[in-house]
Amino acid sequence: MAYLNLNRIKLQENFQFLKERFQEQNVSWGVVSKLFCGNRKFLKELIDLGVDEIHDSRISNLAKIKELDPDIQTVYIKPVSKRNISKMVKYADVSLNSELTTIRWISKEAQRQGKVHKIIIMVETGDLREGVMGDHLVDFYAQIFELPSIEVIGLGTNLNCLNGVMPSTDKLIQLSLYKQIIELKFNKQIPWVSAGTSVTIPLLLNKQIPKGVNHFRVGETLYFGVDLFEEKIIDGMHGDVFELYAEIIEMQEKPMVPTGIIAANPQGETVKIDESLFGKTSYRAILDIGLLDVDPKYLIPEDGEFEILGASSDMLILNLGENHKNYQVGDTVKFGLKYMGALGILNSSYVDKLVK
């Protein structure tokens, strides 16, 4: 069976690197755990780092976090559906919100549960995912700041996740100004300006974060050490916290061109024939992992001598050329992972998850 390794030491070092950078600029932060898809073993690794605030987009994952450590502050990071409000209020201490109607429902449910629920109002800053339009923000706040059992603890924004709009100092200054306007108009303190996610970290490292911005929500850079502006590993961080190993279950020398009538495969793809490959052969390996687990485009082969030819639902096909390294049936092949690849693997019940 294919398996995924989480390297505990590299995760710890990435966490410490980020912790020190945030402390230098007096910025608080929470760790986004949605990549783990509720895997208790990996969630415990996060908790053991000393994390005191964990964010997730699945209520069931927040419930597991509360079971592991009730004292951790949990944050629900997407707009909640009406039917899930009761569970969200039970397991999330904080939630990100941008709908008046939903916040009123949350207020009623928090009263019923005898809780004060904290919210971060999400503000639209250009990427056009969730968020209140800036020119509506004051009116929006006016309708919720006195709701019972609701405490507004921050203004937040999200960038790059839908249309690829990148954060900038100007956008973050605007968010900080919204906070100042609301505090002056309503004589209320809003503790957090939650500037964003991993994509904003390069601005932090370059000392380009406005002073008013004091909170981050970080996942991808913690796990992959990546600078999302330049698509490279940040100096001092690790890009290989996760490693995927898949086993060779068939190894054969085969023609490089399929034979017979070509139609679309189950993925709706039609193979294009390269006539220059007629009559040539190569060694092909089949691995015990497939599209049900991960999209091949998110795999990073450690061995640069082979190419990924494609995948079916449960098998991945490699071209090993002349197989200079003498791979055999039963050998394992190692891959690095991009974020979406790791997400697919962690959401698959068919791949073992290990910590080393």
Side-chain angles (χ1 to χ4, degrees):
M1 177 183 281
Y3 62 95
L4 179 73
N5 269 339
L6 181 150
N7 187 303
R8 177 186 288 123
I9 299 302
K10 291 180 179 179
L11 178 64
Q12 291 172 347
E13 291 177 353
N14 278 3
F15 176 79
Q16 189 61 33
F17 178 94
L18 290 172
K19 180 180 178 181
E20 291 173 2
R21 300 310 176 278
F22 284 123
Q23 286 177 340
E24 288 169 2
Q25 298 191 44
N26 198 29
V27 172
S28 63
W29 64 301
V31 171
V32 179
S33 65
K34 65 181 182 179
L35 177 69
F36 290 173
C37 297
N39 183 286
R40 291 177 185 272
K41 187 187 302 181
F42 288 2
L43 288 173
K44 188 175 185 305
E45 291 298 319
L46 274 190
I47 292 169
D48 289 347
L49 291 172
V51 173
D52 55 15
E53 178 184 317
I54 296 182
H55 301 222
D56 210 295
S57 58
R58 305 287 179 176
I59 298 168
S60 59
N61 297 345
L62 295 179
K64 291 175 183 177
I65 292 162
K66 283 296 190 184
E67 290 173 13
L68 291 166
D69 189 340
D71 294 329
I72 286 180
Q73 177 162 264
T74 50
V75 183
Y76 186 63
I77 56 172
K78 71 176 183 181
V80 64
S81 61
K82 182 178 180 180
R83 67 188 299 269
N84 284 321
I85 285 175
S86 176
K87 289 188 290 184
M88 190 277 290
V89 171
K90 181 177 180 179
Y91 294 113
D93 302 306
V94 186
S95 60
L96 277 51
N97 288 276
S98 53
E99 281 292 335
L100 286 170
T101 300
T102 302
I103 296 171
R104 291 185 179 118
W105 289 335
I106 293 171
S107 171
K108 291 178 181 179
E109 181 59 30
Q111 289 179 78
R112 192 186 70 79
Q113 294 189 25
K115 294 182 175 182
V116 173
H117 186 78
K118 303 171 187 175
I119 69 171
I120 298 172
I121 300 172
M122 296 300 284
V123 182
E124 178 59 63
T125 54
D127 198 48
L128 301 180
R129 204 177 74 171
E130 79 278 19
V132 180
M133 296 301 294
D135 54 358
H136 298 160
L137 183 59
V138 171
D139 289 341
F140 185 96
Y141 183 82
Q143 297 182 67
I144 64 170
F145 82 103
E146 290 186 335
L147 284 175
S149 298
I150 292 292
E151 179 185 359
V152 178
I153 64 164
L155 300 181
T157 194
N158 185 79
L159 289 160
N160 189 246
C161 284
L162 181 62
N163 289 303
V165 174
M166 301 299 282
S168 67
T169 302
D170 287 346
K171 288 183 180 294
L172 302 184
I173 288 173
Q174 184 63 56
L175 191 64
S176 299
L177 288 174
Y178 287 142
K179 172 184 180 288
Q180 294 174 32
I181 290 168
I182 288 174
E183 288 182 335
L184 288 171
K185 183 173 179 62
F186 295 94
N187 194 29
K188 288 276 188 176
Q189 293 298 307
I190 299 179
W192 284 353
V193 174
S194 190
T197 55
S198 292
V199 73
T200 317
I201 286 177
L203 295 180
L204 179 100
L205 297 179
N206 292 324
K207 305 290 195 297
Q208 294 175 320
I209 296 292
K211 287 185 178 180
V213 171
N214 60 3
H215 184 262
F216 272 61
R217 314 179 303 275
V218 180
E220 186 168 359
T221 297
L222 172 62
Y223 307 123
F224 297 93
V226 64
D227 175 332
L228 292 171
F229 268 73
E230 298 188 17
E231 295 292 336
K232 67 177 185 179
I233 305 302
I234 295 169
D235 289 342
M237 299 194 76
H238 302 284
D240 55 350
V241 169
F242 291 105
E243 296 172 335
L244 173 67
Y245 294 84
E247 184 176 323
I248 297 175
I249 55 176
E250 179 187 293
M251 168 70 73
Q252 300 282 341
E253 185 177 7
K254 294 187 178 183
M256 298 184 71
V257 178
T259 57
I261 298 171
I262 304 296
N265 65 19
Q267 292 78 254
E269 303 164 340
T270 302
V271 174
K272 294 182 179 179
I273 301 299
D274 183 348
E275 295 184 359
S276 69
L277 299 178
F278 277 120
K280 296 181 179 180
T281 63
S282 68
Y283 284 90
R284 288 186 170 221
I286 299 178
L287 306 186
D288 63 337
I289 195 166
L291 288 170
L292 192 61
D293 311 295
V294 64
D295 188 322
K297 69 184 179 184
Y298 300 125
L299 297 176
I300 306 168
E302 183 188 53
D303 185 343
E305 292 190 14
F306 64 74
E307 68 173 317
I308 299 172
L309 293 175
S312 58
S313 59
D314 300 299
M315 291 182 274
L316 184 72
I317 317 301
L318 304 182
N319 175 15
L320 302 182
E322 297 181 8
N323 193 19
H324 293 297
K325 295 188 177 179
N326 196 32
Y327 284 105
Q328 302 291 324
V329 171
D331 290 345
T332 56
V333 179
K334 180 180 174 183
F335 297 89
L337 292 162
K338 297 180 182 179
Y339 180 90
M340 294 303 294
L343 185 64
I345 294 291
L346 278 153
N347 196 43
S348 172
S349 59
Y350 304 110
V351 179
D352 283 342
K353 285 82 178 179
L354 308 175
V355 177
K356 68 173 184 179

